[in-house]
Amino acid sequence: MDFDVVVLGAGIVGVSCAIHLQDRGRRVALVDRGLPGEGTSFGNAGLIERSAVVPYAFPRSLSALARYARNQSTDLYWDYKALPSFIPWLARYWHESSPRRLAAAAHDMLPLILRCVDEHAALAARAGPEAGALVHETGWIEAYRTPREFDAAAKRARQLASAQDLRLDTLDAVALRAREPALSDAFCGGLHWIDPQSVTNPGALTKAYAVLFERAGGKAIVGDASTVRAESDAWLMQTSEGPIGAREVVVALGPWSDTVFAPLGYRIPLRAKRGYHMHYEATTGAPLARPILDREQGYVVAPMQRGLRLTTGVEIAAREAPPTGVQLARAEAHARPAFALGARLDAQPWLGLRPCTPDMRPVIGQAQRHRGLWFAFGHAHHGLTLGPVTGRLLAEMMTGEAPFTDPRPYSPARF
C-alpha cells in the first residue's frame, strides 16, 4: 500500500483528521481537488463557537414561518425552483427541531462543543506562532435593534449561560458602544459571549494546520475523490501523481461528500445550505474587535485580515446554481450604516456551502457495508469549530483507542 489512510477533503475537518491519524502512527495522504483551506473552510465568520451549545434549529413558530414564507427576510432566502427538492429534507429538519428532539441534539453535541477551543489550541500551538496569531480570545456579540427582542433574548441567554457555565456580559446601548466603538447607534444592546474565540483568517489557519501535517511527513496530493473505488482489501484512486492506494479512506468532503458515499449505496440525508461573504473597508477610526451578529437581521460582520467580512444567513438553492446576490444585497443594506462599511474589497461575492444533516449532528464513524470506509462530514455551521475535535474522535475510533466520548450519536448507521 502507498498509505495506511487516504483522507478525502482538505478543509478544516479533513486536515484535522489527517493530523490526528498521523499522530497515531498512520501513513496518511490528504487528497483534494484544490489546495487546503480554500473550500468551505475559507469563507466562514471565523468563530470557534464554544457557546454554541444549542444547534441551529428549524423555526417552528407560526410568525417565523409566515415571515420566511414571504421570502423577504435577510437571514433566509429560498429559490422557488429548488424548494421542491428540499421539501422532504426540510420536513425532517422541522421534525427534528421539536423541543424534545432539539434538547437531545444539544445533549449529543455538547461533548464536541466542550472541547472545541482546547483542541484548536493544541493544533495552533504545534503549527507555530503564525497560526496562533490568527486566533483571538475575543468572544463574539449578539447585537439587538429593538428593546423587546433584546430583553427576551437576554433572559434566555442568562439562563443558558448559568446552566452551561458560560461567561456572558449583558450590554445596554452605552456599554455596547463602549465595548465596540465602531458600531453606530443602530443597536440597543448586545450579549457578549466571552468563551468563544475568533479567527481572522480561517483559510490561513487551515493551511497552517496542513503545513504542520506535511512537516511531520504527511503528503498532500491533488486528486479527484470521485475516482475512489474498493478493490480487494484496498481503496484505490487517481491523483495528479498517479494512482494511489490505502487500506482505509476517510470521506471528509463537506457538502461534496455525497459524490463518494452516494455511488457506494449510502442514503445519508446531507444537504448544503448556501451562504455568501464580502469584504469591506472599515471607515471608522476604531477597529471592530470581534465578530458581531445582527441577530434580528441574521448576518455577521467579523474583523478579518482582509477587512470587515460580512457573512450572510442561509440560502436554499441548488448546490450548483449560480450565485444570486439576493442575500448579500439585503444584508449589506442593514450592515453598511450599522458598521460604517466602506468600499467592497472583493471583485465578486464568495459563495460557500454548509454541509447539513436534518438531525443537526455530524456524521462521524465507520460505514456499515464497506471495510475501511470512514465518514467525517455534516458539521453544518460549525465546521471550523468542530474540525480538530472531530479529527481526534475519528482517529481514536480508527486506531482502537477508547474514544473520549460515546461516538454513537454521530454514527452513519442512524440513517
Side-chain angles (χ1 to χ4, degrees):
M1 296 296 172
D2 300 291
F3 302 95
D4 297 320
V5 185
V6 169
V7 176
L8 303 176
I12 186 63
V13 174
V15 170
S16 299
C17 290
I19 292 172
H20 278 280
L21 286 163
Q22 184 185 65
D23 288 345
R24 289 157 176 81
R26 298 300 193 263
R27 293 174 299 128
V28 183
L30 182 64
V31 178
D32 199 292
R33 61 186 177 185
L35 297 174
E38 295 193 351
T40 302
S41 297
F42 171 78
N44 53 70
L47 280 169
I48 302 172
E49 237 299 47
R50 170 61 184 85
S51 64
V53 293
V54 179
Y56 290 115
F58 194 99
R60 294 176 67 89
S61 72
L62 292 178
S63 59
L65 292 173
R67 180 167 66 89
Y68 290 134
R70 293 193 293 270
N71 207 18
Q72 298 296 315
S73 66
T74 303
D75 52 341
L76 175 67
Y77 170 75
W78 46 270
D79 180 358
Y80 71 93
K81 297 187 294 297
L83 192 59
S85 70
F86 273 85
I87 286 176
W89 188 92
L90 291 171
R92 185 165 181 179
Y93 184 18
W94 180 87
H95 174 70
E96 295 288 349
S97 297
S98 71
R100 179 178 64 84
R101 291 177 179 272
L102 180 60
H107 174 271
D108 289 343
M109 292 301 297
L110 187 59
L112 304 183
I113 296 294
L114 285 173
R115 290 164 176 80
C116 66
V117 169
D118 290 342
E119 295 295 336
H120 261 288
L123 290 190
R126 293 169 57 190
E130 291 186 1
L134 298 171
V135 183
H136 305 273
E137 297 181 357
T138 62
W140 66 283
I141 291 177
E142 290 181 70
Y144 287 82
R145 292 172 177 264
T146 58
R148 181 177 178 180
E149 292 290 334
F150 175 53
D151 292 342
K155 181 179 179 180
R156 294 191 300 269
R158 285 190 290 266
Q159 293 171 343
L160 181 64
S162 176
Q164 298 292 339
D165 195 26
L166 293 167
R167 292 176 293 167
L168 173 70
D169 281 348
T170 302
L171 310 172
D172 62 17
V174 174
L176 177 60
R177 288 291 303 278
R179 193 152 299 185
E180 287 291 353
L183 294 179
S184 75
D185 59 0
F187 302 107
C188 67
L191 304 172
H192 184 185
W193 297 95
I194 299 170
D195 296 281
Q197 297 183 344
S198 61
V199 180
T200 51
N201 191 329
L205 185 65
T206 303
K207 289 179 183 293
Y209 292 170
V211 170
L212 169 65
F213 165 71
E214 293 185 278
R215 198 165 61 221
K219 184 76 171 177
I221 306 174
V222 174
D224 183 356
S226 66
T227 66
V228 70
R229 69 184 190 279
E231 188 170 301
S232 185
D233 288 331
W235 290 91
L236 307 178
M237 69 174 300
Q238 298 296 321
T239 75
S240 61
E241 300 186 13
I244 63 171
R247 291 182 178 86
E248 296 180 291
V249 64
V250 176
V251 180
L253 292 162
W256 305 100
S257 296
D258 61 334
T259 62
V260 175
F261 71 68
L264 294 173
Y266 294 90
R267 298 293 177 258
I268 298 171
L270 182 74
R271 297 303 297 257
K273 297 178 185 176
R274 302 186 356 154
Y276 299 84
H277 85 224
M278 172 61 69
H279 292 98
Y280 301 83
E281 290 181 344
T283 62
T284 63
L288 197 68
R290 56 188 56 79
I292 310 291
L293 167 64
D294 183 342
R295 173 60 76 182
E296 292 173 68
Q297 294 300 329
Y299 65 87
V300 174
V301 173
M304 295 282 169
Q305 288 181 333
R306 181 164 170 73
L308 295 177
R309 176 182 289 183
L310 188 160
T311 63
T312 72
V314 172
E315 180 179 77
I316 300 298
R319 183 170 59 188
E320 300 81 6
T324 65
V326 173
Q327 267 198 317
L328 184 64
R330 291 177 180 175
E332 186 179 293
H334 296 284
R336 190 173 288 283
F339 293 86
L341 300 183
R344 287 187 171 190
L345 299 177
D346 304 322
Q348 298 293 333
W350 182 87
L351 169 61
L353 305 168
R354 305 173 179 107
C356 302
T357 62
D359 67 355
M360 296 163 283
R361 300 164 177 86
V363 180
I364 307 170
Q366 189 169 17
Q368 305 98 291
R369 298 190 300 277
H370 291 81
R371 178 184 297 178
L373 177 62
W374 298 81
F375 296 148
F377 55 80
H379 294 78
H381 298 255
H382 298 309
L384 177 65
T385 295
L386 299 177
V389 71
T390 294
R392 174 184 168 181
L393 178 60
L394 187 75
E396 289 171 345
M397 297 169 67
M398 292 180 67
T399 59
E401 289 184 34
F404 73 85
T405 190
D406 183 358
R408 286 177 295 180
Y410 326 117
S411 171
R414 71 186 194 269
F415 297 118

